[in-house]
Amino acid sequence: MSIYTLRHFQVPGRAEPCKAILEYTGAKWTLETPQWPQEKVNQPIGKLPVLVETNKDGTRFILSDSLAIEQYLVCKYNLCVPEQDRQMVARQMELRNQLNDLFQMTQLIVNVTEPTTRTNFIQRYMTLAKDVVTYQEKWLKENGSTGHYFGNKTTYVDLALLGTMCAIRATLKNMPEMLEPFNKKNAPMMNHVMTTMEKDAKLAEYMDTCEC
């Protein structure tokens, strides 16, 4: 059985879906918080998160990039839609990438101080958030309003939504108006998925530690 070390900062960020996936699968893992920027040079491309998998024979597999880590884990633990259904595989990545685009936009907002640029980013974020919610709500309704993105069981995008929303809420906690597109009135289906994930016993420890 593999043992995993996930390197990332203590603050919620792009590694949240990775954490949710590791918890859901019951993998044996620990979070390692490197000293930054001192240990930047020790990471594959100077970025976090990084996943270090130690195999039974002691060999290690090191992977950087949050989306690559997610995809590796969900494929390994059979949380993807069937790979032979290429249209659903594409849909899965489309939905996941939309959520990632939202998170990326929040990082632009909080890291820019120039007023005009920041206002522009906020406007772009709000437009994107409303468009993503409209699109994903329609998809979730077409899936039968099951509390899942595909069928009636937990798959990749369910866990990605949980982790991404935890990161977005933590990032925008001082800007509550920017979370309005995701409230229960505007995004009932997405909130149904969130509730399903939050109530899953496999994710209890994750829910205790995240800042949702």
Side-chain angles (χ1 to χ4, degrees):
M1 183 179 181
S2 295
I3 298 173
Y4 301 95
T5 300
L6 183 65
R7 298 175 187 161
H8 198 250
F9 307 110
Q10 284 287 355
V11 295
R14 65 183 74 253
E16 289 305 306
C18 301
K19 295 178 186 177
I21 292 164
L22 286 165
E23 281 296 322
Y24 183 80
T25 60
K28 187 174 181 180
W29 74 284
T30 56
L31 179 66
E32 179 182 288
T33 307
Q35 292 295 312
W36 210 259
Q38 297 92 318
E39 294 186 45
K40 182 175 182 178
V41 296
N42 297 325
Q43 313 312 319
I45 57 170
K47 292 173 59 178
L48 298 177
V50 170
L51 182 74
V52 180
E53 179 181 11
T54 303
N55 300 306
K56 202 171 183 180
D57 61 4
T59 58
R60 298 201 309 169
F61 174 61
I62 300 175
L63 187 64
S64 65
D65 185 86
S66 56
L67 291 179
I69 294 168
E70 291 174 24
Q71 291 169 41
Y72 172 66
L73 291 171
V74 295
C75 289
K76 182 172 182 176
Y77 289 101
N78 298 315
L79 291 170
C80 294
V81 297
E83 63 178 15
Q84 62 269 25
D85 191 336
R86 302 312 301 172
Q87 290 186 347
M88 287 301 98
V89 170
R91 183 73 68 209
Q92 173 181 257
M93 289 314 304
E94 173 193 50
L95 295 164
R96 173 62 190 108
N97 289 343
Q98 288 174 359
L99 298 173
N100 189 57
D101 288 345
L102 281 170
F103 174 75
Q104 298 280 52
M105 187 63 72
T106 67
Q107 300 308 292
L108 293 175
I109 291 167
V110 299
N111 289 308
V112 171
T113 56
E114 199 282 316
T116 301
T117 303
R118 195 164 192 262
T119 298
N120 180 48
F121 282 152
I122 289 172
Q123 291 172 344
R124 287 169 57 189
Y125 164 84
M126 292 301 288
T127 298
L128 178 63
K130 290 173 184 176
D131 288 345
V132 168
V133 166
T134 298
Y135 189 92
Q136 299 211 358
E137 287 287 303
K138 182 176 181 291
W139 172 258
L140 288 164
K141 187 174 182 180
E142 289 177 0
N143 188 55
S145 307
T146 63
H148 297 286
Y149 275 88
F150 294 92
N152 59 0
K153 66 178 184 179
T154 297
T155 56
Y156 179 18
V157 187
D158 301 331
L159 295 163
L161 175 68
L162 176 66
T164 302
M165 287 309 304
C166 284
I168 288 175
R169 288 172 178 172
T171 302
L172 302 178
K173 61 185 176 183
N174 296 321
M175 306 173 73
E177 70 281 0
M178 294 183 63
L179 295 172
E180 288 183 7
F182 308 104
N183 64 28
K184 291 182 179 179
K185 178 181 178 181
N186 294 322
M189 302 294 174
M190 295 174 77
N191 276 274
H192 187 191
V193 176
M194 288 286 292
T195 299
T196 302
M197 295 297 96
E198 290 165 359
K199 290 182 177 179
D200 194 311
K202 295 179 181 178
L203 291 163
E205 189 169 339
Y206 175 75
M207 295 308 305
D208 287 341
T209 58
C210 77
E211 298 183 21
C212 295

